[in-house]
Amino acid sequence: DAGVIQSPRHEVTEMGQEVTLRCKPISGHDYLFWYRQTMMRGLELLIYFNNNVPIDDSGMPEDRFSAKMPNASFSTLKIQPSEPRDSAVYFCASSFWSQPQHFGDGTRLSIL
Amino acid sequence: ILNVEQSPQSLHVQEGDSTNFTCSFPSSNFYALHWYRWETAKSPEALFVMTLNGDEKKKGRISATLNTKEGYSYLYIKGSQPEDSATYLCAFAGGTSYGKLTFGQGTILTVHP
């Protein structure tokens, strides 16, 4: 099992650019989560999906953030336009029901 | 809003010391309590999932207990080693959504050789 796969591992881009983060969950998992890690707020949940359907997006900071899960094996988190305060590590995780969540290696995002 | 609190925020111990820290969570609508270990520059890794009041789980030198009636869990590390240095996160599953976890802020453990 390859685990949860995130890409890219690192992204450096200029303010105003569109950023797309990608995630491939573990096959058979029915939940997918997007988290953001910052020094100030720790690990915060942005949005999660159950069976490809967004269930709770109350953690998404603002309209500049959007997430999709077109099928069971792929999800994207998009920021448009990006701002310096979006700089953080973004984690994707997947699980089956309320079993332990498996985290990807994260995407370290820097917005200049 | 579900409140999951961990204490202490950080802990420094000497190699060989035993240590423990606490996670408190809502005692109503409980489904499961998770513990994760998060090393610097890596991603969180699951240690335990506990669901029953009085549950006790063990993995090597690390063990955890659960009290769902009063809403707390303890994580114990016996004979700490420098490689145990990490942030330990607990996470609560319950409320209105059993699949979603509410994480505590974590306890940062540093074990000095």
Side-chain angles (χ1 to χ4, degrees):
Chain A
D1 193 336
V4 175
I5 300 173
Q6 288 187 248
S7 64
R9 290 293 307 275
H10 303 272
E11 173 94 12
V12 180
T13 193
E14 291 190 345
M15 183 172 111
Q17 297 297 306
E18 178 179 289
V19 172
T20 300
L21 311 182
R22 296 173 177 80
C23 176
K24 178 177 165 47
I26 291 173
S27 176
H29 282 188
D30 56 350
Y31 280 85
L32 184 139
F33 306 84
W34 282 101
Y35 292 94
R36 178 169 69 174
Q37 179 203 3
T38 61
M39 290 291 289
M40 293 293 293
R41 300 170 75 126
L43 193 65
E44 55 176 336
L45 178 67
L46 300 176
I47 184 171
Y48 77 98
F49 297 82
N50 178 219
N51 293 321
N52 313 341
V53 176
I55 303 300
D56 183 351
D57 65 354
S58 59
M60 296 284 260
E62 46 198 274
D63 292 346
R64 297 184 297 106
F65 285 68
S66 62
K68 291 182 181 177
M69 191 165 185
N71 57 62
S73 57
F74 184 65
S75 176
T76 59
L77 177 69
K78 194 170 287 190
I79 308 172
Q80 167 64 20
S82 57
E83 296 182 4
R85 61 193 166 122
D86 302 330
S87 298
V89 181
Y90 291 80
F91 286 100
C92 174
S94 71
S95 71
F96 176 71
W97 189 224
S98 70
Q99 294 300 307
Q101 291 184 12
H102 295 258
F103 285 77
D105 289 335
T107 294
R108 185 171 294 276
L109 178 63
S110 297
I111 309 295
L112 306 176
Chain B
I1 295 176
L2 299 173
N3 209 20
V4 179
E5 293 186 354
Q6 293 187 244
S7 64
Q9 212 168 8
S10 65
L11 198 51
H12 290 256
V13 301
Q14 289 297 127
E15 183 175 353
D17 287 351
S18 292
T19 186
N20 66 86
F21 18 96
T22 308
C23 172
S24 63
F25 52 85
S27 54
S28 58
N29 296 320
F30 173 87
Y31 187 75
L33 194 281
H34 296 219
W35 281 99
Y36 289 81
R37 182 168 177 272
W38 193 3
E39 289 182 72
T40 303
K42 293 190 178 178
S43 53
E45 198 176 312
L47 286 172
F48 307 114
V49 179
M50 295 184 287
T51 55
L52 298 176
N53 185 43
D55 235 357
E56 185 167 338
K57 300 260 178 162
K58 191 172 179 183
K59 190 175 185 175
R61 294 179 291 98
I62 305 177
S63 60
T65 60
L66 179 68
N67 182 323
T68 60
K69 294 184 185 214
E70 294 179 46
Y72 65 83
S73 174
Y74 293 134
L75 189 80
Y76 300 91
I77 303 178
K78 187 177 174 182
S80 304
Q81 299 295 309
E83 58 265 30
D84 295 329
S85 298
T87 298
Y88 291 83
L89 294 169
C90 69
F92 168 83
T96 56
S97 173
Y98 296 159
K100 173 184 173 181
L101 294 180
T102 301
F103 282 86
Q105 289 293 313
T107 292
I108 302 169
L109 174 67
T110 305
V111 182
H112 299 277

